Amino acid sequence: MGGGFGYRAVAHSRAPDRSGGALAQALRAGWLSKTTRGRPFRAETLFALSRHVGQAATQGGGVAPAHLSHRHGHGCVRFFEERMAGRGVSFMDDPESGCARWRAEALPLRPGRAAATPGGPARRPHLEAPPGGPTPWPYPEAPPGDPMTEILLHNYPQSPVAEKVRVAFGIAGIPWASVEIPRLPPKPMLTALTGGYRRTPVMQIGADIFCDSLCILDEIERRRLAGAWPGSRPLLPVGTAAAAHTLARWTDGRLFDLAVKLVLAGAGDGLPADFAADRGRLYLGPDWASALDQARSDLPHLAAQMRRAFAEFDGLLQAGGPWMLGGEPSLADALVWHIVWFVRGRWDRGPALLDEFAALTAWEGRLAALGHGARRPDVAAEDAIAAAAAAEPEVPEGHDPLDPQALVPGIRVSISPDVDGGEQPTEGTVRFASRERLAILRTGAEAGTLAVHFPRAGYRVRRLDG
């Protein structure tokens, strides 16, 4: 409250974040005459007061109210509902925000193809990107279940990276459906959408395909901020984005590589040959057999390194818990969770290693209780492809004039993870390029024209136009 995202008049690192579903019960809209009795109550004042109420509650051993979970009027209503039960209050909060919808609708529209996804309504026109380069493009509001916001997650249950995304859906509290894919290649139904990318998971929203878990989660937060899922919770609460993205470079890089070595080496002779060959080549390089032998001989060393990482997380929770970045769950919790979940569930010594860390195991229980969000019935791969074919990519054209690779709409490129994992690159025509993301258009026989999205960090882009 008190200025929106990025505004931080006072520290609120200990503020809890819980969804409030009872707003409608407290809010009565009306056009009333000017209030002549009472005092003005600034949003900044309410922000500070709410923080102190929450801090006093937690210091007294109680449960802090969730006033700071919501922006502006939502939090204000919750505060007065809880603190002044039975009394009335009139307020006017951030009136210019009420004009945001009209301002958005004033942006130029381009027609979308009117075809409907199976069982869904026709796709509506959508907004072009505002002028001025690679600014994130807006989306009109859409209710859950609308093809514009329907999430299909192509994944399999045992994938730790998919588990990161699934638990992030639980943190955000958003609806999604699963499309189960094979654990090992070939994955023809998946690559029909991605053009070659075979890693897990992949997110599909209509004809837009999102590769890499961090690209997926950035897109979820972008759409959530645009109003796609009313009542959802933030993955990046105010002030946490830089810390979460910095943490991701470790958890999704060296720490995940360490966990893979620990799990593969710890499996010993129980590791299936086909799985060892596939994951070994993907994560350990061309000479994966020698690297796996080395990891087996280094198993005590690998365990010691992971133990040190778990100690860091445990200390973080002891110092500022109950969540990784303080008083509310966030993307950082999903990043750590998939490592802990992987080691606990896939290495026979993992539970014993984790038993040493009481704060970390208690955090596991809290995060597990959030679940995987509002999961809908699973969708068959064939139906997912049909939905993509019936839709049209939503991403508008855009580019960054300062891009060192001079990526502009229309040029042909290939993109793949910037490691030697023996993977097939995805080729297509640039549609949108920014510092953070690349979206390319490609056309397939089954799914038609799709926009495939990749993060720029950790991916190598090659121009194919000479």
Side-chain angles (χ1 to χ4, degrees), residues 337 340-341 344 354 357 359-369:
W337 170 266
V340 174
W341 181 87
R344 178 181 288 281
L354 283 159
F357 305 106
L360 189 59
T361 53
W363 165 86
E364 283 184 271
R366 290 191 294 272
L367 194 53

Side-chain angles (χ1 to χ4, degrees), residues 262-284:
L262 193 63
V263 168
L264 293 180
D269 296 335
L271 188 65
D274 57 348
F275 188 83
D278 180 72
R279 295 306 195 269
R281 178 67 183 89
L282 188 65
Y283 294 114
L284 304 180

Side-chain angles (χ1 to χ4, degrees), residues 198-199 257 277-288 291 416-425 458-460 462:
R198 46 75 47 109
R199 296 195 180 205
D257 291 344
D278 180 72
R279 295 306 195 269
R281 178 67 183 89
L282 188 65
Y283 294 114
L284 304 180
D287 192 13
W288 64 268
S416 61
D418 195 15
V419 294
D420 186 1
E423 299 167 84
Q424 177 185 340
Y459 284 75
R460 180 173 290 274
R462 292 182 173 87

Side-chain angles (χ1 to χ4, degrees), residues 35-50:
T35 300
T36 57
R37 298 180 61 188
R39 296 179 181 275
F41 201 73
R42 291 175 56 85
E44 291 84 351
T45 304
L46 180 62
F47 189 98
L49 183 58
S50 298

